[in-house]
């Protein structure tokens, strides 16, 4: 599903050492991965490489048999829209749109994801409503401006947007940082339920090691890069 080979990444050509240097990483279909590492170690950078937002400086990043670094920007954008749902560390929601509108936007750039969403519900709005309900955002909040929601509620909108149209890969960057312990576990259970429903592969980043036992596999970014 995901395969990294001899991947390095530098933010600037002149950087003396790369931000990331990964000999090898293989993630199987349907795996739930917990990616951990200190602040500044490159977790968000790695997720952006997996999502094709950043391109590896050297090496191959292959997802679903497509080598992302060999695609041009347009093809990479299409690949991302079709196959990857992303919950960003800062959510990247559009504040003056409603939760429903933000969730529908999640499949705006992908015909195949729209079709998948429409195979489950009569309209994209209905599918978005169901996802928001499933993630625990009550209907009275579905049509407000996103900016009026609490951070925890915005995290649920970001998750629903990532899930619309059942992408094969879900990438989540600190999606539970604003939730209390109890809400955190229930949010993760909802995340797993959605991921299992569509047999998605989940790559999840968090500082919170207490979440580790809930996942299939734990990857420490520092020790991953020490492998030779
Ligand atoms: N847009 C950017 N341009 C240049 N350098 C960047 C950029 N974004 C991140 N970096 C650098 O890359 C390194 C890794 O940053 P990254 O955001 O991936 O860390 P992180 O592990 O996600 O940290 P955190 O846990 O705080 O979110 C840091 O040294 C950071 O300064
Ligand atoms: Mg980060």
């Amino acid at each position: 599903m995901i395969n990294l080979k001899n991947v390095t990444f530098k933010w600037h050509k002149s950087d003396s050492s790369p931000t990331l240097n990964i000999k090898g990483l293989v993630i199987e279909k349907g795996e739930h991965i917990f990616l951990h590492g200190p602040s500044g170690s490159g977790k968000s950078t790695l997720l952006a490489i997996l999502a094709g937002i950043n391109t590896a400086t050297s090496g191959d990043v292959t997802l679903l048999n497509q080598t992302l670094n060999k695609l041009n920007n347009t093809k990479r954008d299409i690949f991302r829209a079709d196959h990857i749902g992303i919950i960003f560390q800062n959510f990247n929601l559009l504040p003056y749109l409603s939760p429903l509108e933000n969730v529908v936007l999640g499949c705006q750039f992908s015909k195949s994801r729209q079709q998948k969403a429409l195979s489950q519900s009569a309209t994209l709005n209905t599918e978005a409503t169901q996802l928001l309900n499933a993630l625990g955002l009550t209907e009275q909040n579905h049509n407000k401006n996103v900016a009026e929601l609490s951070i925890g509620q915005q995290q649920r909108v970001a998750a629903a947007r990532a899930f619309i149209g059942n992408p094969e890969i879900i990438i989540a960057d600190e999606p539970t940082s604003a939730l209390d312990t109890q809400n955190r576990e229930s949010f993760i259970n909802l995340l797993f339920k959605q991921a299992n429903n569509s047999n998605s592969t989940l790559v999840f980043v968090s500082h919170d090691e207490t979440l580790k036992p809930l996942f299939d596999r734990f990857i420490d970014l520092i020790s991953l890069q020490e492998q030779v």
Side-chain angles (χ1 to χ4, degrees):
M1 174 64 54
I2 299 176
N3 194 335
L4 270 63
K5 236 186 214 156
N6 296 321
V7 169
T8 69
F9 179 79
K10 284 185 178 181
W11 281 105
H12 304 287
K13 272 199 181 116
S14 57
D15 290 353
S16 54
S17 57
T19 298
L20 287 173
N21 187 356
I22 299 173
K23 286 271 173 294
L25 173 64
V26 176
I27 298 174
E28 305 293 344
K29 183 173 170 59
E31 260 196 300
H32 297 171
I33 301 285
F34 184 92
L35 177 67
H36 178 85
S39 182
S41 60
K43 302 180 297 297
S44 297
T45 305
L46 175 57
L47 294 188
I49 289 171
L50 293 179
I53 296 167
N54 296 334
T55 313
T57 306
S58 63
D60 283 335
V61 177
T62 306
L63 274 70
L64 297 158
N65 299 321
Q66 278 283 353
T67 302
L68 295 190
N69 43 289
K70 291 187 177 147
L71 299 178
N72 64 30
N73 289 348
T74 312
K75 287 202 167 137
R76 242 192 344 264
D77 289 344
I78 294 171
F79 182 87
R80 180 185 325 116
D82 282 345
H83 302 291
I84 307 177
I86 311 173
I87 309 173
F88 290 95
Q89 192 163 12
N90 57 4
F91 314 143
N92 284 7
L93 298 170
L94 294 172
Y96 299 109
L97 295 184
S98 69
L100 271 181
E101 290 164 328
N102 269 280
V103 174
V104 168
L105 275 180
C107 62
Q108 173 173 261
F109 300 109
S110 169
K111 277 270 165 301
S112 67
R113 273 176 75 177
Q114 286 177 16
Q115 277 161 8
K116 279 200 254 172
L118 290 171
S119 71
Q120 286 166 7
S121 297
T123 66
L124 295 178
N125 260 339
T126 314
E127 181 62 9
T129 304
Q130 280 182 6
L131 281 166
L132 287 170
N133 285 337
L135 284 157
L137 188 79
T138 50
E139 292 216 15
Q140 74 218 42
N141 290 309
H142 289 192
N143 292 300
K144 289 182 178 171
N145 281 345
V146 153
E148 294 174 63
L149 301 182
S150 75
I151 299 294
Q153 290 170 328
Q154 291 185 31
Q155 284 183 325
R156 293 164 201 276
V157 179
R161 183 184 56 182
F163 279 117
I164 194 163
N166 296 348
E168 289 95 330
I169 298 167
I170 301 284
I171 286 173
D173 201 349
E174 301 274 5
T176 58
S177 53
L179 303 176
D180 56 40
T181 315
Q182 204 182 348
N183 266 313
R184 199 167 293 172
E185 280 219 28
S186 66
F187 179 87
I188 291 196
N189 286 331
L190 290 169
L191 206 68
F192 283 179
K193 207 167 142 195
Q194 289 296 328
N196 288 336
N197 275 347
S198 41
N199 200 13
S200 307
T201 306
L202 178 64
V203 184
F204 180 101
V205 162
S206 178
H207 281 117
D208 183 358
E209 285 203 52
T210 62
L211 301 173
K212 191 167 131 178
L214 303 170
F215 287 77
D216 297 328
R217 183 148 60 109
F218 173 77
I219 296 175
D220 173 61
L221 190 52
I222 302 291
S223 35
L224 176 68
Q225 297 187 90
E226 282 162 357
Q227 286 172 11
V228 279

